[in-house]
Amino acid sequence: MIVLGVETSCDDTAVATVEDGTRVLSSVVSSQDSIHQRFGGIVPELASRRHIEAILHVADEALKEAGLTLDRIDGIAVTEGPGLVGSILIGVSFAKSVSLATGAPFTGVNHIEAHAHAAFLSSKDYAETPPDFPFVALIASGGHTTLILFTGFTEYKVLGSTLDDAAGEAFDKVSKLLGLGYPGGATIDRLAKSGDRTAFEFKRPYIARRNLDFSFSGIKTAALNIVKNIVLPEGRTQIPEQTLKDIAASFQEAAVDVLVAKSMWALEKTGAKTLVVAGGVACNSRLRQRLEEASQGAAIRVVAPPPRFCTDNGATIASLGFFQLKKGVHASLDMNARPTWQGF
Ligand code: KG4
Ligand code: ZN
């Protein structure tokens, strides 16, 4: 069964084709980074307008890449939340139109739940043994930071979430503060490689509390205070290169410490032996390294899919959509169709 996965919940227009929920035949992502960069964050109205312009081209490209035509599509999956409502509307309208035109059933999926499905994907040049159930998924991205216990492809329980900023949002805000642009996760990751992780003191919020919620707004404010009070005393406007790297490394280490500690605690609490890490922040090299280290000796398997499956894409949406359609979870073309996912 070939499912077309459509993702427009934020600022990426993405369409993919996936066979039997696992084999990625094509995955095309059109990024809007260059549009939002000068505003230092996503402008929702601009995002939805760009989705309208891009969606048909991206879908055409995804079909072409897989050597398919629309009549070969057996099902359509689309992100129906959470995300920017104007952006989601474009993907949902597109998916409904394709469903109406082809007669293929469609289903709406939860974007966060779909992120974890990165662990089931394989492609021409990538294959990994899928995780066994139950597993804990750490989903950390620009919009969410959540720990979820998966007991089946579509069965899960939310264990904890951020109480304020998402992890990726903290990376992006610190990057902006340091004048490194938006989005900043990848830049901080790169600079931190040659920075001193102990140069600046950052608190590890909530780390001592043995619960599974996160808080990242304090780390972000700490970065602001470091820049204002320590690095830029009156008169200085430029942060020296090495200091930038040291702040990046110290901030990143604090954020990673919290993500690793809570993930390990979630495994301990649930008794699960596998951790899946996905979402844009899962691309972070230090997070991957630290999770790998933490798993050694603890008889835990860490599944960290390749970055292209961790950031927003249509393949994860198609994967979850496949398992929902298999279970008979279809959405109706009626605008009042009930949401098919649990709230977060
Ligand atoms: O999953 P994603 O593509 O979109 C959302 O659903 O939000 O995640 C984007 C987020 C951004 O905040 C970006 O800065 C962050 O992922 N990110 C990273 C890295 N690459 C992307 N954060 C830390 N280290 C990275 N290497
Ligand atoms: Zn996402």
Side-chain angles (χ1 to χ4, degrees), residues 136-210:
V136 168
L138 167 68
I139 308 301
S141 74
H144 15 82
T145 307
T146 306
L147 280 162
I148 307 169
L149 177 68
F150 276 83
T151 50
F153 288 107
T154 61
E155 285 80 44
Y156 63 90
K157 186 178 158 221
V158 176
L159 303 170
S161 276
T162 183
L163 302 174
D164 41 55
D165 291 355
E169 195 178 346
F171 272 89
D172 292 339
K173 286 182 177 163
V174 170
S175 166
K176 192 172 162 187
L177 184 77
L178 298 177
L180 300 171
Y182 170 88
T187 314
I188 292 202
D189 190 354
R190 183 171 47 76
L191 290 181
K193 287 192 168 83
S194 36
D196 176 358
R197 294 177 204 129
T198 60
F200 295 95
E201 203 190 315
F202 281 87
K203 288 213 167 61
R204 274 67 170 150
Y206 277 65
I207 207 165
R209 300 187 200 181
R210 300 278 278 174

Side-chain angles (χ1 to χ4, degrees), residues 9-12 111 115 140-144 167-169 171-172 183-186 189 252 279-285 310-312:
S9 67
C10 196
D11 61 336
D12 289 319
H111 178 87
H115 263 303
S141 74
H144 15 82
E169 195 178 346
F171 272 89
D172 292 339
D189 190 354
Q252 178 177 274
V281 178
C283 301
N284 188 271
S285 58
C310 286
T311 49
D312 288 352

